[in-house]
mmCIF file of all heavy atoms in Angstrom:
data_model
loop_
_atom_site.group_PDB
_atom_site.id
_atom_site.type_symbol
_atom_site.label_atom_id
_atom_site.label_comp_id
_atom_site.label_asym_id
_atom_site.label_seq_id
_atom_site.Cartn_x
_atom_site.Cartn_y
_atom_site.Cartn_z
ATOM 1 N N GLY W 463 108.753 82.731 96.750
ATOM 2 C CA GLY W 463 109.065 84.082 96.298
ATOM 3 C C GLY W 463 110.280 84.632 97.030
ATOM 4 O O GLY W 463 111.160 85.246 96.415
ATOM 5 N N ALA W 464 110.354 84.367 98.336
ATOM 6 C CA ALA W 464 111.486 84.843 99.136
ATOM 7 C C ALA W 464 112.787 84.216 98.664
ATOM 8 O O ALA W 464 113.852 84.858 98.707
ATOM 9 C CB ALA W 464 111.247 84.520 100.613
ATOM 10 N N ALA W 465 112.721 82.972 98.190
ATOM 11 C CA ALA W 465 113.935 82.293 97.719
ATOM 12 C C ALA W 465 114.506 82.956 96.473
ATOM 13 O O ALA W 465 115.667 82.723 96.119
ATOM 14 C CB ALA W 465 113.612 80.827 97.432
ATOM 15 N N GLN W 466 113.713 83.796 95.801
ATOM 16 C CA GLN W 466 114.173 84.488 94.603
ATOM 17 C C GLN W 466 114.721 85.884 94.903
ATOM 18 O O GLN W 466 115.047 86.623 93.981
ATOM 19 C CB GLN W 466 113.030 84.593 93.590
ATOM 20 C CG GLN W 466 112.509 83.236 93.114
ATOM 21 C CD GLN W 466 111.353 83.371 92.151
ATOM 22 O OE1 GLN W 466 111.496 83.924 91.066
ATOM 23 N NE2 GLN W 466 110.191 82.876 92.542
ATOM 24 N N GLY W 467 114.785 86.232 96.193
ATOM 25 C CA GLY W 467 115.380 87.506 96.567
ATOM 26 C C GLY W 467 114.375 88.473 97.156
ATOM 27 O O GLY W 467 113.156 88.320 96.989
ATOM 28 N N ASP W 468 114.908 89.487 97.850
ATOM 29 C CA ASP W 468 114.054 90.445 98.549
ATOM 30 C C ASP W 468 113.180 91.254 97.602
ATOM 31 O O ASP W 468 112.039 91.597 97.934
ATOM 32 C CB ASP W 468 114.910 91.397 99.390
ATOM 33 C CG ASP W 468 115.539 90.708 100.593
ATOM 34 O OD1 ASP W 468 115.073 89.600 100.941
ATOM 35 O OD2 ASP W 468 116.478 91.268 101.179
ATOM 36 N N THR W 469 113.695 91.572 96.418
ATOM 37 C CA THR W 469 112.912 92.382 95.487
ATOM 38 C C THR W 469 111.691 91.626 94.986
ATOM 39 O O THR W 469 110.578 92.161 94.949
ATOM 40 C CB THR W 469 113.780 92.822 94.293
ATOM 41 O OG1 THR W 469 114.882 93.599 94.772
ATOM 42 C CG2 THR W 469 112.964 93.659 93.313
ATOM 43 N N VAL W 470 111.858 90.364 94.630
ATOM 44 C CA VAL W 470 110.729 89.541 94.187
ATOM 45 C C VAL W 470 109.746 89.328 95.339
ATOM 46 O O VAL W 470 108.522 89.399 95.150
ATOM 47 C CB VAL W 470 111.225 88.186 93.643
ATOM 48 C CG1 VAL W 470 110.058 87.223 93.425
ATOM 49 C CG2 VAL W 470 111.977 88.395 92.337
ATOM 50 N N LEU W 471 110.276 89.078 96.525
ATOM 51 C CA LEU W 471 109.413 88.910 97.697
ATOM 52 C C LEU W 471 108.551 90.145 97.912
ATOM 53 O O LEU W 471 107.336 90.051 98.123
ATOM 54 C CB LEU W 471 110.262 88.632 98.944
ATOM 55 C CG LEU W 471 109.508 88.564 100.287
ATOM 56 C CD1 LEU W 471 108.507 87.414 100.292
ATOM 57 C CD2 LEU W 471 110.489 88.420 101.443
ATOM 58 N N ALA W 472 109.176 91.330 97.850
ATOM 59 C CA ALA W 472 108.445 92.581 98.052
ATOM 60 C C ALA W 472 107.434 92.815 96.933
ATOM 61 O O ALA W 472 106.295 93.241 97.182
ATOM 62 C CB ALA W 472 109.422 93.754 98.134
ATOM 63 N N ALA W 473 107.819 92.522 95.688
ATOM 64 C CA ALA W 473 106.903 92.706 94.560
ATOM 65 C C ALA W 473 105.686 91.793 94.686
ATOM 66 O O ALA W 473 104.544 92.207 94.442
ATOM 67 C CB ALA W 473 107.634 92.436 93.247
ATOM 68 N N ASN W 474 105.915 90.543 95.079
ATOM 69 C CA ASN W 474 104.797 89.618 95.264
ATOM 70 C C ASN W 474 103.889 90.075 96.397
ATOM 71 O O ASN W 474 102.657 89.935 96.321
ATOM 72 C CB ASN W 474 105.315 88.211 95.550
ATOM 73 C CG ASN W 474 105.839 87.514 94.309
ATOM 74 O OD1 ASN W 474 105.654 87.992 93.198
ATOM 75 N ND2 ASN W 474 106.500 86.389 94.491
ATOM 76 N N ALA W 475 104.479 90.622 97.464
ATOM 77 C CA ALA W 475 103.676 91.133 98.578
ATOM 78 C C ALA W 475 102.778 92.272 98.117
ATOM 79 O O ALA W 475 101.610 92.371 98.524
ATOM 80 C CB ALA W 475 104.585 91.599 99.710
ATOM 81 N N VAL W 476 103.303 93.134 97.261
ATOM 82 C CA VAL W 476 102.499 94.227 96.712
ATOM 83 C C VAL W 476 101.356 93.675 95.865
ATOM 84 O O VAL W 476 100.198 94.084 95.988
ATOM 85 C CB VAL W 476 103.384 95.180 95.872
ATOM 86 C CG1 VAL W 476 102.520 96.152 95.059
ATOM 87 C CG2 VAL W 476 104.330 95.962 96.772
ATOM 88 N N LEU W 477 101.656 92.698 95.000
ATOM 89 C CA LEU W 477 100.635 92.138 94.118
ATOM 90 C C LEU W 477 99.573 91.353 94.888
ATOM 91 O O LEU W 477 98.404 91.320 94.487
ATOM 92 C CB LEU W 477 101.294 91.244 93.066
ATOM 93 C CG LEU W 477 102.178 91.983 92.055
ATOM 94 C CD1 LEU W 477 102.877 90.990 91.139
ATOM 95 C CD2 LEU W 477 101.371 92.979 91.236
ATOM 96 N N LEU W 478 99.957 90.751 95.998
ATOM 97 C CA LEU W 478 98.965 90.051 96.813
ATOM 98 C C LEU W 478 97.932 91.011 97.386
ATOM 99 O O LEU W 478 96.807 90.610 97.713
ATOM 100 C CB LEU W 478 99.649 89.266 97.938
ATOM 101 C CG LEU W 478 100.364 87.978 97.506
ATOM 102 C CD1 LEU W 478 101.167 87.394 98.672
ATOM 103 C CD2 LEU W 478 99.377 86.943 96.975
ATOM 104 N N GLN W 479 98.318 92.300 97.515
ATOM 105 C CA GLN W 479 97.348 93.297 97.965
ATOM 106 C C GLN W 479 96.236 93.487 96.931
ATOM 107 O O GLN W 479 95.119 93.862 97.274
ATOM 108 C CB GLN W 479 98.051 94.630 98.248
ATOM 109 C CG GLN W 479 99.040 94.581 99.401
ATOM 110 C CD GLN W 479 98.433 94.071 100.676
ATOM 111 O OE1 GLN W 479 97.393 94.558 101.117
ATOM 112 N NE2 GLN W 479 99.058 93.066 101.277
ATOM 113 N N PHE W 480 96.540 93.243 95.648
ATOM 114 C CA PHE W 480 95.508 93.302 94.613
ATOM 115 C C PHE W 480 94.451 92.226 94.884
ATOM 116 O O PHE W 480 93.246 92.471 94.747
ATOM 117 C CB PHE W 480 96.131 93.058 93.237
ATOM 118 C CG PHE W 480 96.895 94.213 92.668
ATOM 119 C CD1 PHE W 480 97.975 94.777 93.340
ATOM 120 C CD2 PHE W 480 96.557 94.747 91.439
ATOM 121 C CE1 PHE W 480 98.692 95.824 92.808
ATOM 122 C CE2 PHE W 480 97.265 95.804 90.896
ATOM 123 C CZ PHE W 480 98.336 96.346 91.575
ATOM 124 N N ILE W 481 94.924 91.033 95.249
ATOM 125 C CA ILE W 481 93.999 89.948 95.569
ATOM 126 C C ILE W 481 93.180 90.304 96.802
ATOM 127 O O ILE W 481 91.970 90.039 96.862
ATOM 128 C CB ILE W 481 94.780 88.634 95.784
ATOM 129 C CG1 ILE W 481 95.491 88.227 94.481
ATOM 130 C CG2 ILE W 481 93.858 87.518 96.270
ATOM 131 C CD1 ILE W 481 96.381 87.011 94.610
ATOM 132 N N MET W 482 93.830 90.923 97.784
ATOM 133 C CA MET W 482 93.123 91.340 98.984
ATOM 134 C C MET W 482 92.040 92.371 98.663
ATOM 135 O O MET W 482 90.915 92.295 99.170
ATOM 136 C CB MET W 482 94.113 91.931 99.997
ATOM 137 C CG MET W 482 93.520 92.240 101.343
ATOM 138 S SD MET W 482 92.961 90.768 102.234
ATOM 139 C CE MET W 482 94.534 89.998 102.590
ATOM 140 N N LEU W 483 92.362 93.331 97.799
ATOM 141 C CA LEU W 483 91.381 94.338 97.402
ATOM 142 C C LEU W 483 90.173 93.690 96.725
ATOM 143 O O LEU W 483 89.027 94.043 97.005
ATOM 144 C CB LEU W 483 92.028 95.347 96.445
ATOM 145 C CG LEU W 483 92.995 96.363 97.064
ATOM 146 C CD1 LEU W 483 93.737 97.130 95.974
ATOM 147 C CD2 LEU W 483 92.257 97.337 97.976
ATOM 148 N N THR W 484 90.429 92.732 95.853
ATOM 149 C CA THR W 484 89.330 92.037 95.178
ATOM 150 C C THR W 484 88.457 91.285 96.176
ATOM 151 O O THR W 484 87.232 91.237 96.044
ATOM 152 C CB THR W 484 89.884 91.041 94.138
ATOM 153 O OG1 THR W 484 90.775 91.731 93.256
ATOM 154 C CG2 THR W 484 88.774 90.407 93.337
ATOM 155 N N SER W 485 89.105 90.717 97.180
ATOM 156 C CA SER W 485 88.360 89.917 98.162
ATOM 157 C C SER W 485 87.370 90.752 98.954
ATOM 158 O O SER W 485 86.360 90.226 99.431
ATOM 159 C CB SER W 485 89.326 89.213 99.129
ATOM 160 O OG SER W 485 89.861 90.117 100.083
ATOM 161 N N TYR W 486 87.619 92.063 99.105
ATOM 162 C CA TYR W 486 86.698 92.905 99.870
ATOM 163 C C TYR W 486 85.296 92.896 99.265
ATOM 164 O O TYR W 486 84.296 92.850 99.986
ATOM 165 C CB TYR W 486 87.211 94.344 99.948
ATOM 166 C CG TYR W 486 88.502 94.501 100.713
ATOM 167 C CD1 TYR W 486 89.388 95.532 100.417
ATOM 168 C CD2 TYR W 486 88.844 93.622 101.732
ATOM 169 C CE1 TYR W 486 90.575 95.679 101.109
ATOM 170 C CE2 TYR W 486 90.033 93.757 102.418
ATOM 171 C CZ TYR W 486 90.896 94.792 102.107
ATOM 172 O OH TYR W 486 92.074 94.936 102.784
ATOM 173 N N GLY W 487 85.244 92.949 97.918
ATOM 174 C CA GLY W 487 83.943 92.900 97.272
ATOM 175 C C GLY W 487 83.393 91.497 97.173
ATOM 176 O O GLY W 487 82.227 91.246 97.493
ATOM 177 N N LEU W 488 84.215 90.547 96.745
ATOM 178 C CA LEU W 488 83.736 89.181 96.522
ATOM 179 C C LEU W 488 83.318 88.512 97.822
ATOM 180 O O LEU W 488 82.372 87.709 97.845
ATOM 181 C CB LEU W 488 84.809 88.360 95.813
ATOM 182 C CG LEU W 488 85.182 88.848 94.403
ATOM 183 C CD1 LEU W 488 86.243 87.940 93.794
ATOM 184 C CD2 LEU W 488 83.959 88.916 93.507
ATOM 185 N N ASP W 489 84.004 88.826 98.925
ATOM 186 C CA ASP W 489 83.614 88.261 100.224
ATOM 187 C C ASP W 489 82.200 88.672 100.613
ATOM 188 O O ASP W 489 81.455 87.890 101.201
ATOM 189 C CB ASP W 489 84.594 88.719 101.318
ATOM 190 C CG ASP W 489 85.746 87.745 101.501
ATOM 191 O OD1 ASP W 489 85.672 86.626 100.975
ATOM 192 O OD2 ASP W 489 86.728 88.117 102.163
ATOM 193 N N GLY W 490 81.851 89.920 100.300
ATOM 194 C CA GLY W 490 80.513 90.390 100.654
ATOM 195 C C GLY W 490 79.427 89.560 100.000
ATOM 196 O O GLY W 490 78.454 89.139 100.658
ATOM 197 N N PHE W 491 79.575 89.264 98.711
ATOM 198 C CA PHE W 491 78.571 88.466 98.005
ATOM 199 C C PHE W 491 78.611 87.009 98.446
ATOM 200 O O PHE W 491 77.575 86.337 98.507
ATOM 201 C CB PHE W 491 78.776 88.588 96.499
ATOM 202 C CG PHE W 491 78.704 90.009 96.008
ATOM 203 C CD1 PHE W 491 79.762 90.581 95.317
ATOM 204 C CD2 PHE W 491 77.592 90.796 96.276
ATOM 205 C CE1 PHE W 491 79.699 91.894 94.883
ATOM 206 C CE2 PHE W 491 77.520 92.119 95.843
ATOM 207 C CZ PHE W 491 78.578 92.669 95.152
ATOM 208 N N ALA W 492 79.814 86.508 98.759
ATOM 209 C CA ALA W 492 79.921 85.128 99.243
ATOM 210 C C ALA W 492 79.230 84.973 100.596
ATOM 211 O O ALA W 492 78.518 83.982 100.838
ATOM 212 C CB ALA W 492 81.389 84.727 99.347
ATOM 213 N N HIS W 493 79.434 85.939 101.498
ATOM 214 C CA HIS W 493 78.788 85.878 102.815
ATOM 215 C C HIS W 493 77.267 85.965 102.675
ATOM 216 O O HIS W 493 76.525 85.288 103.398
ATOM 217 C CB HIS W 493 79.288 86.999 103.711
ATOM 218 C CG HIS W 493 80.719 86.843 104.144
ATOM 219 N ND1 HIS W 493 81.439 85.709 103.899
ATOM 220 C CD2 HIS W 493 81.546 87.692 104.813
ATOM 221 C CE1 HIS W 493 82.663 85.855 104.387
ATOM 222 N NE2 HIS W 493 82.746 87.045 104.944
ATOM 223 N N ALA W 494 76.811 86.817 101.768
ATOM 224 C CA ALA W 494 75.372 86.906 101.537
ATOM 225 C C ALA W 494 74.831 85.573 101.020
ATOM 226 O O ALA W 494 73.751 85.123 101.426
ATOM 227 C CB ALA W 494 75.077 88.023 100.538
ATOM 228 N N ALA W 495 75.588 84.915 100.135
ATOM 229 C CA ALA W 495 75.171 83.607 99.619
ATOM 230 C C ALA W 495 75.094 82.575 100.739
ATOM 231 O O ALA W 495 74.203 81.714 100.732
ATOM 232 C CB ALA W 495 76.144 83.143 98.528
ATOM 233 N N GLU W 496 76.025 82.644 101.696
ATOM 234 C CA GLU W 496 75.985 81.729 102.838
ATOM 235 C C GLU W 496 74.632 81.807 103.543
ATOM 236 O O GLU W 496 73.988 80.784 103.812
ATOM 237 C CB GLU W 496 77.084 82.081 103.848
ATOM 238 C CG GLU W 496 78.497 81.839 103.377
ATOM 239 C CD GLU W 496 79.507 82.368 104.393
ATOM 240 O OE1 GLU W 496 79.146 82.466 105.590
ATOM 241 O OE2 GLU W 496 80.651 82.688 104.001
ATOM 242 N N ALA W 497 74.229 83.029 103.872
ATOM 243 C CA ALA W 497 73.007 83.213 104.653
ATOM 244 C C ALA W 497 71.768 82.812 103.861
ATOM 245 O O ALA W 497 70.877 82.128 104.382
ATOM 246 C CB ALA W 497 72.906 84.672 105.100
ATOM 247 N N LEU W 498 71.689 83.228 102.588
ATOM 248 C CA LEU W 498 70.485 82.989 101.806
ATOM 249 C C LEU W 498 70.352 81.534 101.368
ATOM 250 O O LEU W 498 69.257 80.969 101.392
ATOM 251 C CB LEU W 498 70.463 83.917 100.589
ATOM 252 C CG LEU W 498 70.248 85.402 100.924
ATOM 253 C CD1 LEU W 498 70.390 86.255 99.681
ATOM 254 C CD2 LEU W 498 68.884 85.619 101.572
ATOM 255 N N THR W 499 71.446 80.910 100.962
ATOM 256 C CA THR W 499 71.349 79.499 100.557
ATOM 257 C C THR W 499 71.084 78.604 101.757
ATOM 258 O O THR W 499 70.336 77.628 101.658
ATOM 259 C CB THR W 499 72.623 79.028 99.822
ATOM 260 O OG1 THR W 499 73.768 79.229 100.660
ATOM 261 C CG2 THR W 499 72.811 79.779 98.513
ATOM 262 N N GLY W 500 71.703 78.931 102.892
ATOM 263 C CA GLY W 500 71.453 78.142 104.092
ATOM 264 C C GLY W 500 69.996 78.200 104.509
ATOM 265 O O GLY W 500 69.387 77.178 104.872
ATOM 266 N N ARG W 501 69.432 79.403 104.451
ATOM 267 C CA ARG W 501 68.007 79.551 104.800
ATOM 268 C C ARG W 501 67.129 78.775 103.819
ATOM 269 O O ARG W 501 66.157 78.128 104.217
ATOM 270 C CB ARG W 501 67.645 81.035 104.792
ATOM 271 C CG ARG W 501 66.262 81.350 105.365
ATOM 272 C CD ARG W 501 66.019 82.848 105.317
ATOM 273 N NE ARG W 501 64.754 83.206 105.925
ATOM 274 C CZ ARG W 501 64.585 83.539 107.202
ATOM 275 N NH1 ARG W 501 65.643 83.534 108.011
ATOM 276 N NH2 ARG W 501 63.414 83.863 107.689
ATOM 277 N N ALA W 502 67.474 78.828 102.531
ATOM 278 C CA ALA W 502 66.685 78.100 101.528
ATOM 279 C C ALA W 502 66.765 76.595 101.750
ATOM 280 O O ALA W 502 65.762 75.884 101.608
ATOM 281 C CB ALA W 502 67.180 78.460 100.128
#
Side-chain angles (χ1 to χ4, degrees):
Q466 298 178 63
D468 290 344
T469 300
V470 169
L471 174 63
N474 284 350
V476 168
L477 293 175
L478 285 172
Q479 295 305 308
F480 284 58
I481 297 175
M482 187 65 69
L483 286 170
T484 306
S485 75
Y486 295 152
L488 297 181
D489 269 347
F491 302 123
H493 291 352
E496 292 174 25
L498 291 174
T499 57
R501 190 179 184 92

